[in-house]
Each structure stands twice: as C-alpha cells, then as structure tokens.
Amino acid sequence: MKESQSRSILAMVTLDNKLISNSGVPCFLAKDKNEQEKIASELGRTLAGNVYGLINGVIIITQE
Amino acid sequence: MDSKNILELSTVLYISVGILVGFIGRWWLLRGDIRQYPTYPNGYLIHLTTGFIAASIGSVAFPALLANNFVAVTFLTLAIQQFRDIRKMEKESLKSLESDVSAPRGDAYIDGIAKSFEARNYIVMISSLTTTVIIFVLERYLDNTILLISTGVLVGFLVLNLLKNYTKGHHLRDIMTIEDGKLHFKEGSNLYVNDIYVMNVGLSATRERILKNGLCVIMKPNGNSEKIILNHDGQRKAIMHECSRLLGLERYIATRRNFDTGELALVLVPIDKDIDRLKKILFSVPILETVKKEIK
C-alpha cells in the first residue's frame, strides 16, 4: 500500500463518450457493461492501479 | 596476587543473586504471544541476553560503589546509552520490514514496541539493583545468609512486579464493544457497512468477492476520550496490521469512521474467514502509548 496525498487518474473506461469531455487522460470506449468491466480490470492490472466506479457508469483507474 | 583484590565468596554470591533475579525477571517479561514481536528463537535469545547484561550491570553497581569505585556510576550511564541503541535498532529493523507487509504497522506502533523493549531492560536493571542494595544493606544487621538472600529476592521480585504492573498497557477491550455489521453496496459501487461508507469498488467481480468472502465489524467506543483513541491514525494502522497479520489478507482492508457517532467500521477480505477470531484479535490490540498520552 503506497501512501500519497493525492492520486491522479490514469485512465477512464466509458460506455458513453458524451460523459467525458476534454479529458487529459486516456479514455476507452466500451460496447457494453461487460466489456467495460473487462477493460477496466485489464487496465487496473497493467497499470497497477485502483478501479473505481462513478455514479454515472464511468469507471476510472487511479494510482494506487 | 594481593588477597584484598580477590572478591569474597559471599559478595560474589550476593551479586549473582541479583543477576539471577533480573534474568528471571526478563524471562517473565518475555511475551510469547503471537501478537507480540518477537515470536522466534532468535528474538528470545537477543532479549534474554540483553536482559542478562542489564541484570549484571544493575547488580554490580552498588557493590562497586561500596568498594569506593565511583566509575561504576558512569557504567550505568553507559548501559543506558546501550539500551537506547537497542531501541533504535529495534525501530530500524521493524521499519525496514514495513514495505513487506500488506498492512503496515505504522510509526506509532513501532515506537511503542521499541519503547517497551527498552523499558523492560530498565525494569530488569532496577530490580537487580534493589536486590543487591537490600542484601548489602541488611548484611550488617542479619547473620543468616539464607534469610538475607530470600529477603533480597523477595524485594527484587516485588519491585519487578510493581514495575511490570506500572508499565502494563491496556487493550482495546477496555474501551470499546464490537457489533456485527452488514456489508452492502449502494449506488452501484460504494461499499457500506451498515450506514458507514467504506470504499468505492469499481469491478463487479471484486464486489462479489467482497460480499462473499469479506468480514466486517463495527467498533463502538465507550466514551468521548475513547473516540479519540479510535480516531488516531496510528491506532487504526495497528488494528489493521494485527488483523491482516493474523487472519491473512486475500485483498482489501480498510477502516472508516462515522463522524457523527465516532464508530469505526472495519472491512477486510481475509484468508482465514473466522469472525469470532477477528473479534478476539480486535479486543486484544494494544492501545498505543502515544495515543494514551493525548487523552490525559
């Protein structure tokens, strides 16, 4: 467990690209909920980050 | 060799009684508890040896003074320096292990452990010192050697017991009760224990794993000063460390406080899923010394 004061977003996975505007981080567009979770899980593993779900259905991967 | 320079047999006997009292005292203070460091033969040996040395220094000090040897007092200061080094060493070795464990001990806990190791050496030294002082002082009034030695030993153990009780720490069972909680997700990915928000989990596979294998409890402090103890970051780290060390950690451990009531929610996904054991562990987590100071 690394401790840092703030974390930055490493990537986002969304079903609806209108939900994300002017993002400075890589965004991935998924076809359905299933694919979104799979992509998020893979990204979480490869980037060694934490996966969080937002209320609007967007999944973000942050630094650990 | 001048016969004056050779110690009398009785003096040697008295000193060894002092050493013995201190050494047995260190043995008695040695905790074989699995929650405590050390658990292993090497740790035992290190602490028994330093305890023996502390006992020797303590018991030699007074006879040396009687023999007009004032250097003996500087010896004591040297010993104190040594024991402070032991504390530092203990601290460094525990800190170097921090990155290897899934839930770190935290600085406050490490400081407490190192301090208690240092303090135990002083307890041994003081009890050895009192034993020999008593024996050498009473020697003028008492002729019976057995009575003399047994009085010394008795007083030595009495001091040991007093200091042991004085330095004894408290456990979380003294300040809180534990209630069962219910794990559930709200708004999709927010994990709650009853009504305390704990964390956000993005993946549904992980959510299922937490619901299936996770354990959770709610710790209720008894009063306001107890709330302060449970709110302390170091104390919470100590709690998480003990839980994850004894139950194993599959993934995830987190504590969250309810700001309104001061209750602390704990969620973990352990390898050994045993809620009764978890409660037992939580009750016997020591209250850190640094936290106790704050509430006084």
Side-chain angles (χ1 to χ4, degrees), chain B:
Chain B
M1 197 190 276
D2 194 352
S3 66
K4 253 187 156 179
N5 285 336
I6 298 177
L7 275 177
E8 279 175 48
L9 202 61
S10 60
T11 316
V12 176
L13 181 69
Y14 299 156
I15 292 174
S16 6
V17 167
I19 295 177
L20 210 65
V21 167
F23 183 64
I24 292 171
R26 186 64 186 92
W27 206 316
W28 185 37
L29 289 171
L30 203 63
R31 295 278 295 274
D33 200 314
I34 48 163
R35 277 177 291 106
Q36 225 72 27
Y37 172 90
T39 334
Y40 300 110
N42 287 328
Y44 284 150
L45 190 69
I46 290 169
H47 290 294
L48 283 178
T49 314
T50 49
F52 182 78
I53 290 166
S56 314
I57 291 168
S59 29
V60 167
F62 190 67
L65 261 182
L66 283 185
N68 276 333
N69 190 352
F70 296 108
V71 188
V73 181
T74 42
F75 236 69
L76 287 179
T77 51
L78 198 75
I80 284 180
Q81 191 60 49
Q82 288 298 322
F83 295 138
R84 278 175 59 184
D85 278 352
I86 286 176
R87 170 160 99 183
K88 232 163 107 187
M89 181 194 81
E90 205 66 70
K91 220 174 183 171
E92 272 164 21
S93 91
L94 286 177
K95 265 202 180 134
S96 66
L97 296 173
E98 284 275 85
S99 56
D100 286 351
V101 289
S102 40
R105 273 195 174 84
D107 290 339
Y109 196 14
I110 288 179
D111 189 57
I113 293 173
K115 253 187 209 156
S116 72
F117 280 137
E118 192 191 1
R120 279 174 199 169
N121 279 319
Y122 295 143
I123 292 174
V124 165
M125 212 159 88
I126 292 167
S127 57
S128 286
L129 185 69
T130 33
T131 310
T132 42
V133 167
I134 290 286
I135 289 178
F136 277 96
V137 168
L138 286 185
E139 198 193 9
R140 293 174 197 183
Y141 310 103
L142 273 176
D143 258 349
N144 190 337
T145 319
I146 295 175
L147 194 67
L148 193 66
I149 288 176
S150 44
T151 319
V153 169
L154 204 73
V155 174
F157 278 119
L158 204 72
V159 170
L160 200 68
N161 196 20
L162 277 176
L163 286 174
K164 189 183 185 227
N165 283 332
Y166 177 66
T167 54
K168 198 165 84 178
H170 293 276
H171 296 117
L172 284 185
R173 78 162 61 77
D174 303 329
I175 63 154
M176 65 162 199
T177 52
I178 292 182
E179 265 183 20
D180 288 324
K182 192 177 165 296
L183 282 172
H184 58 104
F185 283 95
K186 266 192 215 167
E187 297 126 17
S189 47
N190 290 332
L191 178 65
Y192 282 78
V193 177
N194 293 354
D195 55 349
I196 305 174
Y197 168 80
V198 182
M199 58 179 160
N200 185 312
V201 181
L203 297 173
S204 56
T206 320
R207 286 201 281 268
E208 271 162 36
R209 178 189 290 273
I210 288 178
L211 286 180
K212 206 174 125 213
N213 295 335
L215 290 179
C216 70
V217 287
I218 288 181
M219 293 176 251
K220 283 195 165 171
N222 294 340
N224 272 335
S225 51
E226 283 84 355
K227 271 183 202 167
I228 299 173
I229 293 178
L230 271 190
N231 186 34
H232 190 268
D233 214 32
Q235 185 67 57
R236 276 160 65 170
K237 272 190 191 144
I239 292 171
M240 288 200 278
H241 174 79
E242 292 300 352
C243 293
S244 69
R245 192 156 70 108
L246 293 172
L247 292 178
L249 204 60
E250 210 171 273
R251 273 211 84 172
Y252 300 112
I253 182 160
T255 55
R256 261 302 164 127
R257 200 169 75 94
N258 183 338
F259 294 109
D260 299 327
T261 58
E263 293 166 357
L264 196 69
L266 173 81
V267 176
L268 76 162
V269 186
I271 292 170
D272 180 7
K273 196 186 171 188
D274 186 345
I275 186 92
D276 294 323
R277 220 175 133 213
L278 174 68
K279 283 179 189 167
K280 228 182 263 172
I281 291 166
L282 285 175
F283 274 138
S284 43
V285 171
I287 297 174
L288 304 181
E289 230 174 49
T290 39
V291 191
K292 268 198 288 188
K293 252 182 261 164
E294 279 170 13
I295 61 168
K296 267 196 177 162

Side-chain angles (χ1 to χ4, degrees), chain A residues 1 3 33 36-38 40-41 49-55 59 64, chain B residues 101-104 187 189-190 200-205 207 237 251 253:
Chain A
M1 246 190 263
E3 280 169 55
K33 193 89 190 151
Q36 187 193 23
E37 291 226 348
K38 266 190 190 149
S41 158
N50 287 340
V51 183
Y52 297 110
L54 302 183
I55 196 137
I59 293 181
E64 198 166 343
Chain B
V101 289
S102 40
E187 297 126 17
S189 47
N190 290 332
N200 185 312
V201 181
L203 297 173
S204 56
R207 286 201 281 268
K237 272 190 191 144
R251 273 211 84 172
I253 182 160

Side-chain angles (χ1 to χ4, degrees), chain A residues 13-59:
Chain A
V13 190
T14 179
L15 290 171
D16 182 2
N17 62 356
K18 284 182 209 123
L19 290 171
I20 296 167
S21 62
N22 300 326
S23 107
V25 297
C27 293
F28 297 80
L29 191 61
K31 270 196 287 258
D32 52 36
K33 193 89 190 151
N34 207 3
E35 196 190 65
Q36 187 193 23
E37 291 226 348
K38 266 190 190 149
I39 292 174
S41 158
E42 279 174 358
L43 280 173
R45 268 178 227 159
T46 47
L47 300 173
N50 287 340
V51 183
Y52 297 110
L54 302 183
I55 196 137
N56 58 4
V58 178
I59 293 181

